[in-house]
Structure formats: structure tokens, C-alpha cells
Amino acid sequence: MENPKTHQQKPAYGMASNCAFMVRRAWRDAKSVLVVCVGLIICAVAASLLELFVTPMILAAVERGASPGELAALIARFALGLALVHSLWAYLRANTLFGRVQVRRTLSVEHNLLECRTAYPHIEDPDYLQRLAKSGRTLSTNRDASEAVWDTMTGLVTNLVSFAIYLLLLSRAEPGIALLTAALAAVGYFAGERIRSWRYLHREEEGRLHRMSDRIVYQSQSPELAKDVRIFGLGPWLLQLYDKYTQLFFDFCAKAQRRYLWADLLDVGLALARNGAAYGWLIALALRGELSPARFVLYFSAVGGFAQWVTGIFQNLGTLHRQSLELSTLREFMAAPEPFRFEDGAPLDVKPGHLYAIELRDVSYRYPGADHDALSHVNLAIRPGEKLAVVGKNGAGKTTLIKLMCGLLDPTQGSVLLDGEDIRQYNRRDYYRLFSAVFQQFAPLPGTVAENVAQGEDVELARMWDCLDKAGVAEAVRELPQGENTHLGRQLYLDGVELSGGQMQKLMLARALYKNGPIVVLDEPTAALDPIAESKLYQKYHELTQNSTSVYISHRLASTRFCDRVLLVEDGGIAEEGTHDSLLERGGRYAYLFDIQRKYYADSADLKGVADHE
Ligand code: ADP
């Protein structure tokens, strides 16, 4: 839902600040943009002045009794001047695009990098995701603020310079005309500005509607959902949802346009009053014989031009105001503080062979927007080298516990300590180097099997094969068409392969082993494995996690036997802890849950027998 607090927010950066920001960016990334803009302004002002003076000058020459030759020379000079400035303007205009795209592109790259590198809690924060989508739209096309603003600024400066020149001219004739026009112009602008700020103030709502329809398009095209779409006949529902959110977005735009229409009508009404008064004034002066015909024509055209500059200034300011609001959204997003310390945190050396202790001290965590804690007042000390198992029902808080340990989330209350030190002080990227993890969702990057295991192009082959072997997937990799050099993913590579869920899970385990972090975290690492592979993993667990502190999440209670300690997480807290046997002896919740599972799962001893047989 819309957040009423952000709904009311004023932009953090004003119009002047945003223009200065864009000029600084162009100065750094593509100076040609500024040169072209200045050139365009000079050409446009010169052309308007030539057009303004051409008729009165010819008229004055006729009044003076100039010869046909002099008249022809005068007209030729004007024509040549106009041809020159128009050609130069057209040339500059044709060459304006490249620099502007370059400025937008560098901004876009920075925006994308921020998105990739942002602290993990942002990825789960709907408010952040909305701001991300909204600021991204400032950068998408040539028509978006980060590029279109150059036309607006060029137009505005052209209009302002011409306005000043015309103002000077008119004030010499009759200061009253200039004053009246300028006053009506100011009233129009400030009234219009109030009306136009509506869209910015409702930007969260707009972002939410956009995100909803984008999400539906994404889901309807996603290969992961393709099976469900067909089997469950989701097509009509997806279409309905798309229509619904598109309609809501159109309604939103119509509301905004209705407001802009009022602002435009106000501009038109004021322009009418302005021109009517000024023309009446000039005609009265001419009738009283206070203006020569040449001067009358000059001032008459000047008033027409003046009105055009004034309207232009209004329109430019209105557009610039909207674009500035968008640029402010972008800059606010780019300057938003990260919840973690990265480069400014204390460096953390990952010491080879060192066994780390992790402690959660009175830790609570509440997801953004949730009305209760996912974890509440958890105290847990994991000894160096300890093999800890975490079990519990779905939604109990196991994954949240792991995310807190791994530093992907920071506690809402309490602290996570590494060897007794609060991890918030460390460079978070250094901290991540401690962990070898297999999470429940995994996505291979476009590359070969070997690159995916080594997470890059530098692959230590012997180490990679050792890890593939330990993870139980070496044989399957050897059988692939190009062995470890086989590409993963058929959507990207014609010769790529799709591994089964279980093979992929093993490959991700091999990746974790290859990383060789001193803390191993396995979140349901057997979820996609067949019973034999699962049993083999249990048997190998000590080998896989030797020289490391390890945390193993499972929903299979029997699988925790090989761990030093078992935690039963329930309702966001640690309900019971001890060894598998001691918990069974206690006859509490763990024993109860184990008993239920025993009825459905084969006893692990049987599985061990099968695995030995294999
Ligand atoms: P488990 O791993 O034990 O299944 P989780 O740690 O994933 O449980 O979830 C614990 C609680 O936190 C659940 O109530 C779940 O709905 C909630 N939760 C998990 N992830 C999020 C999220 N990103 N935003 C809001 N609530 C979440």
C-alpha cells in the first residue's frame, strides 16, 4: 500500500540544484553537451532578433527613402544572417544526441551498480523496490528526465535571454506594458506550479501501479512459471490482472492530466489578458501619433514575441519542474544511505584455518512493514568448529536466523558477534567472505559448469574436481558433452544443458566447498536430492565441514544426528536445544515432531544401508 509518510514528502533537491547536477555530470562525462546547448541558445536568440528587426529596419529604410539597391542589400544581409543561424542550429541539433545519451548512460550504469551492490535488506524492502523502479524510469529512454532536461534547459535559457532583450526594448517604449506582462506571467507561473506538483507528491502510488503491471508482464513471460501458466490455465487471470493494473495506471495519469489541464487553461487565460492589454496600449499610442510606423511595427512584433517567450518560459519551467522532481527522485535514491558499512567499515581478514565463533545476543528481527517479529530475543552462541543443526516448521524463523548470522540482515534489536566483536563495525563485504553457503534458491550465471563452481573465469581445476567429487556430482559433470566446460542454461546457449534440480543443488554445494569459507551454512541442502544422495551427504557431512564452523538447516529431524547440537526454532524463538538423543529423551516438542516424521520417512539407518549398498 501507499506509504502516507513518503506520500507527503517534499523533494530533497530543488530545480536549480538539479540543473547544476546535470551540468556537472555533463562537464565530467560529455562536455560536448554543454557546447551544443550554448550554441543552440546563441543561434535561437540570434534568429529571433533577426526576425524581429527585419520588417521595422526595411520600413525605416523605406521611410528614409533608401534606393532599391540599398534595400536589396539590406534584405540580402538579413536573409544570409538567418540562413546561417538556422543552418548552424540544425547542424548542432543533429549532433546533440550522442553526448546526451552518454550522460544518461553513465548515470544509468551507476544506478544499476547501486542496485546490484545495495545492502541485502533493501532487496526485501517493498519501499526500496518502489523507489528503485521509480528512479530507474528517469533513465530509461531519450524522453526521460535525465536526457530530455537538456532540451528544457536550452529552451528555458533561450526564452529567458530573448525575454530580457524584448523586455528592455518594450520598457524603452512604455514600461507599463512590460510591467503588466511580467506581473501576469509571475502569477501564472506560481499558480501553475502548485497544480503541477501533484504527480510528484503521488509518486509512490504511481510506482506501485507500474511495479504491479511490470511484475505481471514479467511473470507471464517467465520460463519458471510457464508450466503453471499452462497447467493451471493462468492466462485469463494474468490478463485480467494486467488489465486491472493498466486501467488503474491510466486512471492515475488521467487524474494528473486533468490537473495539468487546469494549469494550462490558466496560462492561456493570462496570456489573453496580457496580449489584449499590450496591443490596446500600443494602438492608443499610435493613434495619438506618439509612435512612428517603424517603431509601431517593432513594438507590435515585440509584444507578440514577448508573449511567446513568456509562454515558453512558463512551459519550460513547468516541464523543468516535473523533470526536476524526477531527477530529485533519482538523486535521492542514489544518495540514500546504506544500512550497512561497506568500504567505511573496519577491514576483516579471513584467517585461513581459524575457527570462528558466532553469537546472537538478544536478537530480534522484524521485516519492514510486518506487524510482528520474525525472531524475538534470540540468544545463541555457536562455538568455534561446532556443527549446529537448526530445525523447525515452515515460517518458524530458521532462514531469518541464518540471514542474520550471515550479515544479510541486521537485527532490529540486539547484536550479532564474530569472535566477540559486533559485526556492524566490519566492512560487510569482508564479512561475507567468511561464509560458504548453499541457499534454497539458486541461479547459475551464464557460463560453464567450471566457472559456476569457481565463481569466475580463473578456475583451479584440481580443486574444482575435488569439490565436485565431495558434492557427489563429479560423475554427472564428466558425462556432460563438454565436461566441466559445458555451458549451463539452454536459454542462453544453443549447446547449453539444463541440470536437474538435484544436480544443480549438488553443484551449488560444490561451489560453496570451492569457496572454502570458514563458516559453512547449508539451508535445506538436500531438498532437491533423492534419498540416496541425501543419505550420502549426511555421511559425508563431517568431511565436508571439517575445519569449519557449520550451520545446517533441515526440516528432516532425523538428519540432525551427525550435528553437535540441534536447535528447534518455533514462533521466532529457540524452543529447545541439545543433541538429537538428549532432545528425544526429554520427550518435548522435538521428540513429538520426530515421532510424527518417523511415521512418514524411512528410518535413516535403512537409508544408510541403501547408500552403502550403492
Ligand atoms: P523458515 O525459514 O523457518 O521457514 P522464515 O525465516 O523464512 O522461516 O520466516 C519467518 C517469518 O518471517 C515468517 O512468518 C515469514 O512469513 C516472515 N518472512 C520471511 N521473509 C519475509 C520477508 N521478506 N518479508 C516479510 N516477512 C517475511
Side-chain angles (χ1 to χ4, degrees), residues 444-499:
L445 285 186
T448 64
V449 169
E451 286 163 356
N452 267 285
V453 172
Q455 292 297 282
E457 292 182 1
D458 296 329
V459 185
E460 285 179 39
L461 275 179
R463 184 162 138 212
M464 182 205 68
W465 280 112
D466 182 44
C467 296
L468 289 174
D469 197 38
K470 281 183 181 150
V473 71
E475 206 178 308
V477 171
R478 270 190 209 99
E479 284 169 7
L480 290 174
Q482 268 94 44
E484 80 277 16
N485 294 320
T486 306
H487 283 118
L488 283 180
R490 297 195 74 115
Q491 281 159 28
L492 288 165
Y493 301 102
L494 289 177
D495 63 345
V497 295
E498 288 296 341
L499 296 184

Side-chain angles (χ1 to χ4, degrees), residues 120 123-126 365-370 372-375 392-403 440 523-524 553 569:
Y120 183 80
I123 310 296
E124 297 192 347
D125 181 356
Y365 186 77
R366 181 172 297 199
Y367 284 97
H372 65 280
D373 288 345
L375 280 184
K393 291 187 296 191
N394 292 336
K398 305 182 294 294
T399 305
T400 309
L401 185 81
I402 294 298
K403 286 193 261 185
Q440 287 187 42
D523 188 355
E524 305 261 13
I553 298 190
V569 177

